[in-house]
Amino acid sequence: MYDVVLLTLGSERDASGGGCGSGGACCGGASEVAGERPEERCETPRVPVLACADALTARGARVETVTARSDAEIDEVLARLDGPPRADGLTWPDPDSKTRLVVAAASDGQLRAVLRRLVRRYAPPPSRRPADLPENRTVPDLPPVGVLPLDPARSGTARDLAAQLGLPRDPAAVAAAVLDGTPRRLDLLRNDGGSVTLDGALLGAADDAGRPLHWRARVEVDGKLLSTGEEPIMACAIGNAGGYASLGDVALLADPDPSDGRVQVAVAVPVVTRSALGRKRVRLEVRRARGRAAAVVPRDEKVPFLDDGVEGELSRKRSWWTEPGAWAVWTA
């Protein structure tokens, strides 16, 4: 039977490193509860974690729950997924590992924090690229991850990655997928800022009234220009999955597929036209492209963005590229 590690991210995780849960609490609970500090609540595993652990134990699995409060503590858990020593000295995942990992995540940013450490652990340096690494990848097949969502599924367009992928949310169903299911391989976006993207990124900002603010950037996909950097942009979506497929009632990404081996990029640009009577009108033009890699070079000082729900600012060129089928989730 399998050893299963149920990993949660603790209250001392830096939001900029992987994103906290709802309400700003890294354990995923509300940031303020009468008579309690958030860090005190994070010491006790949430109900879904306990229920999943019970379901796994009932099936005969040896279960350990771990709360990681730093990258080093995440790395200690991931080391259990290492394969046997290689002749080239590289650290490589074990494809036949009897240890399975479940990440209890209150946000896509928390799941991303774990995947980023997996990439950091197993991606070989360019100077030591092994012959058994796929030609179109910089990382090997990462170990499958069980995803235990800690927050309820949201309705509407703002769905987390688990909902988009149709993954189970019930703790017992998650346990069954981890023990009896099969890995579903998905694309991963890496970027030259040292991070990864599972769902997507949305670049741009709005004013206090919710109106998009204009900004400028050069945007290209596999050499195809979507914006030269001279015209105003209202929004730019870098999509692996569909979390940023629309902005309000504006459709940005068209049928994003997290397993097609391509990144999809959309740029929304206001275009001024005139009617036959000479009246000026402004319409929104959405330019789209798919490809292996995308690059954004901001012309303004700083461009705010959300990447898997984690806030940031882009002040210089950022490139994203696709790692086809690099990571995987356990599915029923």
Side-chain angles (χ1 to χ4, degrees), residues 89-105:
L90 293 174
T91 301
W92 217 248
D94 185 356
D96 299 317
S97 176
K98 295 302 180 183
T99 298
R100 296 198 168 177
L101 174 65
V102 178
V103 179

Side-chain angles (χ1 to χ4, degrees), residues 18-50:
C20 291
S22 57
C26 283
C27 63
S31 58
E32 293 185 7
V33 176
E36 293 184 351
R37 295 180 301 171
E39 60 268 24
E40 291 173 340
R41 298 185 69 251
C42 293
E43 298 304 318
T44 302
R46 290 178 59 177
V47 171
V49 177
L50 298 174

Side-chain angles (χ1 to χ4, degrees), residues 218-248:
R218 178 184 175 91
V219 182
E220 59 182 302
V221 181
D222 287 358
K224 177 183 178 181
L225 278 179
L226 296 183
S227 174
T228 63
E230 302 301 323
E231 56 197 333
I233 296 174
M234 293 182 64
C236 174
I238 312 289
N240 187 41
Y244 300 108
S246 61
L247 180 64

Side-chain angles (χ1 to χ4, degrees), residues 147-171:
V147 181
L148 174 62
L150 293 179
D151 287 346
R154 299 182 182 92
S155 60
T157 58
R159 300 189 302 159
D160 60 17
L161 190 59
Q164 294 179 56
L165 297 175
L167 300 180
R169 306 186 82 89
D170 177 74

Side-chain angles (χ1 to χ4, degrees), residues 65 140 176 219 251 268 283 292 302:
T65 58
V219 182
R283 65 179 177 85
R292 178 80 168 83
K302 292 181 179 179

Side-chain angles (χ1 to χ4, degrees), residues 86-171:
R86 291 168 53 104
D88 56 16
L90 293 174
T91 301
W92 217 248
D94 185 356
D96 299 317
S97 176
K98 295 302 180 183
T99 298
R100 296 198 168 177
L101 174 65
V102 178
V103 179
S107 67
D108 289 342
Q110 288 190 336
L111 180 61
R112 182 187 77 158
V114 177
L115 264 296
R116 185 171 63 175
R117 299 311 298 177
L118 275 172
V119 169
R120 189 176 183 87
R121 183 169 193 84
Y122 296 124
S127 60
R128 299 179 60 193
R129 182 182 176 90
D132 55 342
L133 188 65
E135 287 186 8
N136 59 351
R137 294 243 298 270
T138 65
V139 294
D141 285 354
L142 299 176
V145 175
V147 181
L148 174 62
L150 293 179
D151 287 346
R154 299 182 182 92
S155 60
T157 58
R159 300 189 302 159
D160 60 17
L161 190 59
Q164 294 179 56
L165 297 175
L167 300 180
R169 306 186 82 89
D170 177 74

